[in-house]
């Protein structure tokens, strides 16, 4: 007789907990050792139990009304004082000038400043202040990258200077079959540069890479149109757009006719158009909204999700996980074993091994996710394909990526991010002291291993709970009834539980050792 799904799930969960009890924990230096008040495995079990319990609570108390619920919104553009300031053309112009000035400083200091990473403005700003900080801000506050993007701003300046008609069709029609694959490929190259390329921190090399990416971006906008390329080819617009769906704000256009004629096709099954910046740019002021909303509701909106979009989300999660995995003794052992097995790794063997790892990890993530999607389809008794299920539920993984980002980069931002204080006074490394901050020394006690550990545990557990909630809301919308929706989420819960334990294990390595 076949075992029922709940029993199978219970046995799998018990097996996972027992595996956690038996697994050893390895660690290496964080700068200072932190001895956990209880063994690491106890933390893992507690986190797993919390995520599992949240599933039961959400399953019991969030019914089909959760799907029909219209979340509360506050239009900031209609708030006195706040609205006029936010919509001020002078403020937008000042932000644009500042963004382009900082972008130019990154390029110029990289090209002409000293080539020592710690003494040059470019590496610290790009890898810590911008890359880490922008991810946090877009996820929590909103998509300010749409406002700060220097490539978009400079392109608009050129258009205005040439007095180009914005309604004029672009030189080439963007091929629909390409979807966001160009952005995904460019993001993979960025991830390779960050995680593998040994010259990523050298200012001159970094400046050349920034220039190369700039040329690609400007050429894409010139060829296919500004919004088409930003939406499909500009890697960071696409990525930060994913992150901002979790955030506290959204842009909304209430002119449905305008949205239906949108050149980039919003594909939102809502009366209004949400987070489409082409529609927002074209809309009359009375049809524009900048809304405050509850966190994470943007991830539950019914949207058409393409294969390329799903692949990009998985790639983002896989690459940040690989970044953290590189700090573990397990990865060091893999590198040593691979190096011992072959001497034909070329001039930079660690780069070669890292490249192979960066390629394999997203493939592994995709295969695991498709396996759990098959389980969702089977238990939900839906006739949709496994690929369709994978696409529908992929945005439930975004809170996990955000939580892991916060846990992985928090110490980097708070401690090494302080380097920007002396560098704003001496950006080229020439010994200047423009703002009087060149003598600032890092405060290594700004955050310690204990605080990092508890922030990491809290972020990862909360992120997974939010993912459980988002997946449940999506399943209620996609499945025929509540019982099917609940059954379909057993594999998703198993995925969340497994990744909770894996994430905490990876984060723990440089902290508790």
């Amino acid at each position: 007789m076949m075992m029922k799904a709940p029993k199978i799930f219970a046995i799998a969960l018990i097996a996972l907990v027992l595996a956690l009890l038996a697994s050893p924990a390895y660690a290496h230096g964080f700068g200072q050792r932190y001895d956990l008040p209880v063994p690491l495995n106890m933390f893992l079990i507690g986190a797993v139990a919390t995520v599992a319990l949240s599933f039961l609570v959400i399953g019991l108390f969030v019914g089909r009304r959760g799907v029909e619920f219209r979340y509360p919104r506050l239009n900031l553009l209609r708030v006195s004082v706040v609205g006029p300031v936010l919509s001020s053309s002078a403020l937008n112009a000042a932000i644009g000038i500042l963004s382009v000035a900082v972008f130019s400083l990154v390029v110029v200091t990289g090209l002409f400043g000293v080539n020592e990473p710690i003494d040059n403005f470019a590496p610290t700003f790009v890898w810590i202040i911008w890359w880490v900080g922008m991810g946090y801000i877009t996820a929590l506050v909103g998509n300010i990258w749409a406002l700060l993007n220097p490539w978009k701003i400079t392109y608009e300046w050129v258009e205005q200077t040439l007095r180009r008609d914005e309604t004029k069709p672009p030189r080439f029609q963007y091929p629909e079959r390409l979807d966001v694959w160009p952005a995904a490929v460019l993001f993979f190259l960025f991830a390779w540069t960050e995680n593998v390329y040994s010259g990523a921190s050298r200012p001159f090399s970094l400046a050349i890479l920034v220039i190369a990416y700039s040329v690609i971006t400007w050429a894409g906008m010139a060829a296919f149109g500004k919004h088409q390329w930003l939406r499909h080819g500009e890697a960071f617009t696409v990525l930060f757009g994913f992150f901002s769906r979790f955030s506290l704000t959204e842009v909304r256009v209430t002119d449905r006719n305008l949205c239906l004629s949108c050149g980039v096709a919003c594909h939102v099954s809502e009366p209004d158009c949400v987070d489409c910046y082409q529609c927002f740019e074209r809309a009359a002021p009375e049809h524009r909204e900048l809304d405050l909303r509850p966190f994470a509701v943007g991830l539950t909106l019914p949207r058409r999700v393409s294969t390329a979009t799903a692949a990009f989300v998985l790639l983002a999660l896989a690459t940040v996980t690989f970044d953290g995995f590189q700090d573990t003794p397990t990865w060091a052992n893999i590198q040593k074993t691979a190096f011992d097995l072959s001497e034909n790794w070329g001039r930079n063997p660690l780069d070669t091994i890292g490249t192979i790892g960066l390629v394999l990890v997203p493939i592994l993530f995709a295969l695991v996710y498709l396996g759990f999607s098959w389980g969702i389809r089977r238990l939900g008794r839906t006739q949709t394909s496994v690929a369709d299920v994978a696409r529908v539920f992929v945005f439930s993984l975004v809170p996990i990526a955000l939580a892991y980002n916060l846990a992985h980069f928090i110490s980097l931002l708070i401690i090494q991010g302080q380097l920007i204080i002396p560098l704003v006074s001496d950006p080229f490394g020439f010994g200047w002291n423009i703002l009087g901050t060149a003598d600032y020394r890092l405060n290594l006690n700004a955050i310690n291993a204990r605080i990092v550990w508890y922030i990491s545990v809290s972020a990862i557990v909360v992120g997974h709970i939010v993912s459980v909630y988002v997946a449940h809301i999506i399943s209620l919308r996609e499945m025929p009834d509540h019982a099917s929706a609940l059954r379909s989420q057993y594999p998703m819960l198993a995925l969340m539980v497994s990744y909770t334990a894996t994430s905490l294990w990876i984060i723990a390595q440089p902290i508790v050792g």
Side-chain angles (χ1 to χ4, degrees):
M1 190 167 105
M2 292 200 55
M3 197 177 298
K4 291 184 177 179
K7 292 183 179 179
I8 296 173
F9 167 72
I11 291 172
L13 187 59
I14 291 170
L16 178 60
V17 171
L18 290 174
L20 291 174
L21 280 168
S23 62
Y26 302 97
H28 64 121
F30 177 78
Q32 57 176 315
R33 177 186 171 87
Y34 173 54
D35 294 314
L36 298 179
V38 297
L40 175 59
N41 289 338
M42 294 297 102
F43 272 102
L44 301 186
I45 292 169
V48 163
T50 302
V51 174
L53 180 62
S54 72
F55 171 81
L56 297 176
V57 173
I58 291 169
L60 288 173
F61 293 100
V62 180
R64 296 201 68 81
R65 288 185 180 179
V67 181
E68 300 164 1
F69 175 67
R70 296 290 180 184
Y71 54 87
R73 307 194 310 268
L74 172 64
N75 183 7
L76 295 176
L77 298 181
R78 299 293 179 266
V79 177
S80 59
V81 181
V82 176
V85 169
L86 291 176
S87 57
S88 167
S89 57
L91 175 64
N92 290 334
I95 290 173
I97 292 171
L98 179 62
S99 175
V100 173
V102 173
F103 170 77
S104 302
L105 183 62
V106 167
V107 174
V108 173
T109 54
L111 290 176
F112 303 109
V114 298
N115 211 32
E116 291 296 326
I118 199 170
D119 296 323
N120 190 295
F121 178 84
T124 294
F125 182 83
V126 169
W127 295 119
I128 302 177
I129 305 302
W130 173 75
W131 173 232
V132 177
M134 188 61 66
Y136 289 171
I137 293 172
T138 53
L140 298 175
V141 177
N143 193 3
I144 68 166
W145 179 244
L147 190 65
L148 294 174
N149 187 337
W151 299 293
K152 171 178 172 283
I153 294 167
T154 50
Y155 184 81
E156 289 172 343
W157 287 355
V158 171
E159 278 193 322
Q160 292 169 7
T161 302
L162 299 177
R163 297 183 179 180
R164 186 178 182 277
D165 184 5
E166 292 185 5
T167 61
K168 185 179 178 181
R171 288 181 175 83
F172 302 100
Q173 186 72 26
Y174 186 83
E176 290 188 12
R177 67 181 182 277
L178 289 183
D179 200 25
V180 297
W181 287 116
V185 170
L186 289 170
F187 178 73
F188 177 82
L189 294 176
F190 171 81
W192 179 84
T193 302
E194 179 195 12
N195 294 294
V196 178
Y197 178 47
S198 54
S201 62
R202 290 197 293 268
F204 186 82
S205 300
L206 183 58
I208 295 300
L209 291 171
V210 171
I211 292 171
Y213 184 82
S214 301
V215 171
I216 292 171
T217 303
W218 289 324
M221 288 191 284
F224 302 111
K226 177 181 67 177
H227 287 288
Q228 284 286 6
W229 186 255
L230 290 174
R231 197 177 181 96
H232 297 102
E234 207 282 280
F236 306 108
T237 295
V238 177
L239 179 70
F240 294 141
F242 295 159
F243 286 0
S244 69
R245 296 186 188 191
F246 179 86
S247 73
L248 197 60
T249 61
E250 66 184 19
V251 297
R252 180 179 288 260
V253 174
T254 57
D255 184 352
R256 187 62 177 174
N257 291 328
L258 177 63
C259 295
L260 290 173
S261 64
C262 176
V264 293
C266 301
H267 301 293
V268 179
S269 305
E270 292 284 310
D272 302 331
C273 179
V274 180
D275 288 337
C276 176
Y277 294 92
Q278 176 166 340
C279 290
F280 191 79
E281 188 176 288
R282 294 168 55 203
E286 63 270 18
H287 293 299
R288 292 179 181 176
E289 294 184 8
L290 174 60
D291 295 332
L292 281 178
R293 65 182 182 186
F295 282 111
V297 295
L299 296 169
T300 67
L301 294 177
R303 300 173 187 261
R304 183 187 70 85
V305 180
S306 65
T307 300
T309 298
F312 200 139
V313 173
L314 290 172
L315 179 64
L317 181 58
T319 52
V320 74
T321 303
F322 178 72
D323 190 358
F325 185 62
Q326 287 180 301
D327 293 333
T328 67
T330 303
W331 176 248
N333 291 335
I334 290 173
Q335 286 180 310
K336 183 178 183 303
T337 301
F339 190 76
D340 291 342
L341 289 175
S342 175
E343 296 181 358
N344 300 317
W345 292 111
R347 294 179 59 185
N348 298 302
L350 294 182
D351 285 6
T352 304
I353 296 169
T355 301
I356 295 171
L358 190 64
V359 170
L360 292 179
V361 168
I363 293 173
L364 176 62
F365 263 68
L367 292 175
V368 170
Y369 180 62
L370 286 172
F372 281 99
S373 298
W374 175 85
I376 292 172
R377 176 180 180 273
R378 188 71 179 268
L379 293 181
R381 298 172 186 171
T382 176
Q383 299 303 311
T384 56
S385 67
V386 172
D388 286 339
V389 171
R391 285 191 288 265
V392 164
F393 283 95
V394 76
F395 277 109
S396 66
L397 303 179
V398 169
I400 298 176
L402 295 175
Y404 191 89
N405 247 14
L406 174 62
H408 180 59
F409 289 121
I410 185 67
S411 61
L412 178 74
L413 182 63
I414 292 178
I415 294 182
Q416 288 185 259
Q418 296 175 57
L419 286 170
I420 203 68
I421 297 174
L423 288 171
V424 293
S425 285
D426 187 19
F428 290 87
F430 292 163
W432 299 347
N433 194 6
I434 300 171
L435 301 178
T437 62
D439 295 328
Y440 178 85
R441 294 295 176 263
L442 270 62
N443 178 12
L444 300 179
N445 295 318
I447 192 170
N448 58 42
R450 180 175 67 87
I451 295 174
V452 169
W453 172 245
Y454 282 108
I455 289 175
S456 300
V457 171
S458 301
I460 288 172
V461 171
V462 171
H464 282 77
I465 290 173
V466 174
S467 287
V468 168
Y469 173 79
V470 172
H472 185 66
I473 293 296
I474 294 172
S475 67
L476 289 174
R477 185 174 65 238
E478 298 295 327
M479 300 300 167
D481 53 64
H482 187 272
S484 298
L486 200 58
R487 274 198 314 271
S488 72
Q489 287 309 288
Y490 296 147
M492 185 60 78
L493 176 59
L495 176 62
M496 304 293 184
V497 163
S498 302
Y499 196 66
T500 300
T502 303
S503 300
L504 286 177
W505 179 84
I506 291 174
I507 291 294
Q509 304 312 294
I511 295 177
V512 302

